[in-house]
Amino acid sequence: MSPSEVLFQAANASNATNATNGTGGANATGAANATNATNASAGGAAGGGQTFPETLSQLLGFGANPDPGLQFIFGIVGASLIAVIFLTFAAVGGIWGKRKITAAFTDRIAVNRVGPFGLLIIVADAVRLLSKEVIIPDSVDRPAFDIAPFLVPFSALLGFAVIPLGSGLQLADPETGFVFVFAASSIASLGLLMSGYASNNKYSFLGGLRALAQNIAYEIPLVVTAASVVVFAGTLRMSEIVAMQSEALVTIAGVSIPSWFAFVNPFAFVLFLIANLAEVGRNPFDTPEAPGELVAGYMTEYSGAYFVLLYLGEFLHIFLGGAIVATLFLGGPAGPVLPGIVWMLLKILAVYLFTQWARSAIPRVRIDQLIEIGWKGLLVMSFANLVLTAIIVGFIA
């Protein structure tokens, strides 16, 4: 039994005991414990959840456990659906949304001439960029130069495989899903370093080195902070972490506040948001690109389709970061009235809006300040949060 279940059982048993005012207390407490045990078992069963291939197999009449061939086909269908959703998000958010949001913060108009609300600028920019020649500079490390643009978006899409998006849309639900999503997203660091090194350009090389140094400095606090959620939930399975947040934390005037880990441990939530800003390269941590210093950083020598891949990869990682925040701290796809997938996408968009607000409102820090904040600030606070969480959980258990 996880510490969070122990906490909720203790609170419910206490409420049941108080309701009896001392009369029949033992019986009331026993009944409350029995009810809580039943709820905990149901929650655990729900936490396992069905993956998209299993759900699709049942809908088509092949049963919950189809043969490996069908399971592979259904997995391809689910992966394609997830890719289409978030590639569309990246196209809209990166080409149109970024301009509109920045314009709103800086009192400008932004795109409004091409199509209604300027939405067709997405098509215009896609045609313009994809029709450009892919220029290969002299003396580049060609294999690494060609591979790097594919690694960045691939690592983000790979991370979505274990995210419970709601409405049955979860491609896989391994016991180590928490580890998998961070491992997959970290592959992008290799792509950024390769793009900077292979370009044979000093600005690109500096951008690649900055990206690697920044990711190392902030990925450790990011994972350590997220580990405090695992300590409290008692599981590495992403669907079970979501299920742990479905209980009511407290009820005020008839309104139940959910036990989202953002409410249970707001300090960890804030730490994770800051570290996530650095991971996705948004202000004040956008030093790997730093247009005023490094032209375009690791993307300087890329053009055409290669530039599109790197640009899309950047926004896919922003949305993946939002999905991880929503899963670990905001209850995942949980929410009233609307379908789970809608709530999940709204939470991801809320995190995206936060990153764009930071981009418009917070000035960039120097690279030495960035490294100092990561190693001397966030790292220390993330370990302090982990130790404090472990002490509290040990006391509750």
Side-chain angles (χ1 to χ4, degrees), residues 274-328:
I274 295 172
N276 183 61
L277 272 181
E279 277 293 293
V280 300
R282 276 292 171 260
N283 283 37
F285 308 115
D286 67 334
T287 56
E289 297 175 38
E293 303 172 26
L294 303 179
V295 186
Y298 56 86
M299 292 195 291
T300 299
E301 295 291 356
Y302 283 96
S303 60
Y306 281 0
F307 175 81
V308 171
L309 285 170
L310 286 171
Y311 192 75
L312 275 179
E314 179 181 340
F315 280 87
L316 284 173
H317 275 277
I318 292 176
F319 290 123
L320 176 61
I324 296 172
V325 170
T327 301
L328 296 182

Side-chain angles (χ1 to χ4, degrees), residues 334-376:
V337 184
L338 299 175
I341 181 66
V342 175
W343 276 111
M344 189 66 174
L345 294 179
L346 287 174
K347 292 171 185 178
I348 293 173
L349 284 175
V351 177
Y352 169 71
L353 289 174
F354 170 73
T355 63
Q356 296 308 301
W357 167 81
R359 179 178 180 271
S360 299
I362 307 175
R364 181 188 307 127
V365 297
R366 298 194 314 264
I367 182 63
D368 60 306
Q369 294 172 329
L370 181 144
I371 298 299
E372 189 170 351
I373 292 169
W375 287 110
K376 295 183 179 179

Side-chain angles (χ1 to χ4, degrees), residues 56-381:
L56 186 59
S57 176
Q58 285 186 324
L59 287 175
L60 296 178
F62 292 103
N65 296 306
D67 62 74
L70 284 174
Q71 202 163 11
F72 176 76
I73 294 172
F74 296 152
I76 293 295
V77 172
S80 302
L81 180 58
I82 293 172
V84 166
I85 291 173
F86 288 102
L87 284 172
T88 303
F89 264 54
V92 174
I95 297 175
W96 180 80
K98 176 181 175 181
R99 295 174 179 175
K100 283 292 189 181
I101 295 168
T102 302
F105 277 114
T106 54
D107 197 23
R108 292 184 290 172
I109 297 175
V111 289
N112 65 350
R113 300 287 182 182
V114 188
F117 307 105
L119 279 170
L120 290 183
I121 194 66
I122 300 169
V123 179
D125 273 1
V127 172
R128 175 175 63 86
L129 289 170
L130 292 174
S131 62
K132 285 181 178 291
E133 179 185 359
V134 176
I135 299 172
I136 309 297
D138 292 334
S139 304
V140 300
D141 187 342
R142 189 60 190 269
F145 188 85
D146 292 333
I147 293 171
F150 293 92
L151 281 180
V152 179
F154 168 77
S155 64
L157 291 173
L158 186 63
F160 281 111
V162 297
I163 298 292
L165 297 172
S167 303
L169 190 56
Q170 183 179 10
L171 195 58
D173 191 21
E175 293 183 1
T176 55
F178 173 90
V179 177
F180 178 88
V181 71
F182 285 105
S185 65
S186 66
I187 297 174
S189 301
L190 181 61
L192 301 183
L193 181 63
M194 287 171 62
S195 64
Y197 160 77
S199 295
N200 190 32
N201 178 296
K202 61 183 179 182
Y203 295 114
S204 299
F205 186 57
L206 282 174
L209 290 180
R210 283 187 177 189
L212 183 63
Q214 177 171 321
N215 286 351
I216 292 174
Y218 285 86
E219 194 159 339
I220 298 173
L222 189 78
V223 174
V224 171
T225 303
S228 66
V229 172
V230 172
V231 169
F232 195 81
T235 179
L236 292 170
R237 193 188 292 270
M238 299 296 273
S239 62
E240 291 180 358
I241 291 175
V242 170
M244 291 296 177
Q245 302 174 72
S246 62
E247 299 278 354
L249 181 64
V250 65
T251 302
I252 302 175
V255 178
S256 295
I257 297 176
S259 58
W260 294 356
F261 290 122
F263 298 143
V264 174
N265 191 351
F267 180 62
F269 178 59
V270 172
L271 282 180
F272 195 89
L273 279 181
I274 295 172
N276 183 61
L277 272 181
E279 277 293 293
V280 300
R282 276 292 171 260
N283 283 37
F285 308 115
D286 67 334
T287 56
E289 297 175 38
E293 303 172 26
L294 303 179
V295 186
Y298 56 86
M299 292 195 291
T300 299
E301 295 291 356
Y302 283 96
S303 60
Y306 281 0
F307 175 81
V308 171
L309 285 170
L310 286 171
Y311 192 75
L312 275 179
E314 179 181 340
F315 280 87
L316 284 173
H317 275 277
I318 292 176
F319 290 123
L320 176 61
I324 296 172
V325 170
T327 301
L328 296 182
F329 291 97
L330 300 178
V337 184
L338 299 175
I341 181 66
V342 175
W343 276 111
M344 189 66 174
L345 294 179
L346 287 174
K347 292 171 185 178
I348 293 173
L349 284 175
V351 177
Y352 169 71
L353 289 174
F354 170 73
T355 63
Q356 296 308 301
W357 167 81
R359 179 178 180 271
S360 299
I362 307 175
R364 181 188 307 127
V365 297
R366 298 194 314 264
I367 182 63
D368 60 306
Q369 294 172 329
L370 181 144
I371 298 299
E372 189 170 351
I373 292 169
W375 287 110
K376 295 183 179 179
L378 281 183
L379 183 64
V380 175
M381 288 188 285

